[in-house]
Amino acid sequence: MAVRFLRLALKAALIFVVVTVLWAGIYRFVPPPVTMTMLGDALEGRGIDKNWMSLSAIDPDMARAAIAGEDSRFCSHSGFDWRGMASAAANNVQGKRLRGGSTISQQTAKNAFLWQGGGYVRKAFEAYFTLLIETLWGKRRIMEVYLNIAETGIGTYGANAGSMRYFGHDASRLSPTEAGRIAAVLPLPKKRAAISPTGFVRRHGNRLARVVGVVRREGLDRCLR
């Protein structure tokens, strides 16, 4: 009985690996048609507004703003920012504003293949898919997918759709302020808006707009060039 169970478990694990590698391999070249988060919005009647744009067409300041706001070591880590995670954990223990510590790679893995929310099971799958896309995609593709499927507003996905919604033009000509405001929305897209922002979103967006130049000068976006 135990031997049969072990064989079934190994077979299931092998099927899982083959399917997920093929899945990630397809997304290396083909834009993800839909995500679980998008399906959730559709089921709740919010609709799905998305408009894929290649990374080479998106204004470089958008990726720089995302790096500044979400993952300053994006180009130097292999999917996990251990220092950032430790800092976020310490920050949360001290009762300060909650921080997740997830890298852009982790967020992309979650957005492309998994569901929102926490839990150890989802986190384990997220770690697996993070390693997978870091291996199969590379940094440029990870950023490209991230900037096209990340939620930028209620029912709005990607920097291009967000730019059209908030500023009336596509993401190929974003100003640092516009890129910063979209990046400021990313952590809580259902509760924040990039147009006429107030409070934290305005302050954080303006800070990211100023840091965009730092990201460029210090080469923090070197893996995207």
Side-chain angles (χ1 to χ4, degrees):
M1 189 72 175
V3 174
R4 182 182 179 187
F5 176 79
L6 181 60
R7 286 177 178 172
L8 288 174
L10 290 173
K11 185 177 181 180
L14 180 60
I15 291 172
F16 172 79
V17 170
V18 170
V19 169
T20 54
V21 168
L22 287 174
W23 189 7
I26 290 171
Y27 280 3
R28 170 67 178 83
F29 304 100
V30 178
V34 70
T35 67
M36 292 189 188
T37 308
M38 293 177 190
L39 290 175
D41 272 345
L43 290 173
E44 293 181 12
R46 297 192 182 106
I48 302 172
D49 181 14
K50 61 188 180 77
N51 192 347
W52 184 276
M53 178 177 278
S54 67
L55 185 63
S56 60
I58 296 174
D59 192 294
D61 282 345
M62 186 65 249
R64 291 168 186 149
I67 288 172
E70 298 294 299
D71 186 2
S72 63
R73 286 183 279 271
F74 174 69
C75 284
S76 58
H77 65 61
S78 57
F80 306 94
D81 182 1
W82 303 110
R83 283 189 293 170
M85 293 165 116
S87 176
N91 191 74
N92 297 341
V93 166
Q94 292 171 14
K96 299 178 182 178
R97 186 172 62 86
L98 291 179
R99 296 172 53 194
S102 293
T103 65
I104 286 175
S105 300
Q106 289 174 275
Q107 293 178 51
T108 304
K110 177 185 67 177
N111 291 338
F113 301 101
L114 302 169
W115 59 94
Q116 301 297 318
Y120 292 113
V121 173
R122 205 270 296 161
K123 285 290 186 183
F125 280 123
E126 179 186 295
Y128 170 77
F129 278 107
T130 298
L131 291 172
L132 206 54
I133 64 176
E134 280 280 345
T135 301
L136 297 178
W137 293 6
K139 295 294 188 179
R140 279 189 60 86
R141 181 59 175 177
I142 290 172
M143 180 62 76
E144 182 172 62
V145 174
Y146 176 71
L147 291 180
N148 276 284
I149 67 172
E151 212 173 351
T152 50
I154 296 176
T156 305
Y157 292 86
N160 195 31
S163 181
M164 292 295 296
R165 171 179 176 174
Y166 297 124
F167 310 120
H169 60 79
D170 67 31
S172 66
R173 52 186 181 92
L174 289 167
S175 69
T177 297
E178 290 170 341
R181 288 183 177 179
I182 292 176
V185 169
L186 291 172
L188 289 171
K190 284 185 166 58
K191 296 182 179 180
R192 299 175 179 174
I195 188 169
S196 300
T198 59
F200 173 79
V201 177
R202 187 178 189 85
R203 294 192 304 274
H204 188 45
N206 290 342
R207 185 186 71 81
L208 294 180
R210 293 192 298 270
V211 177
V212 159
V214 177
V215 172
R216 182 185 65 252
R217 288 192 300 273
E218 295 191 1
L220 300 180
D221 63 336
R222 62 188 178 279
C223 60
L224 304 179
R225 298 177 185 175

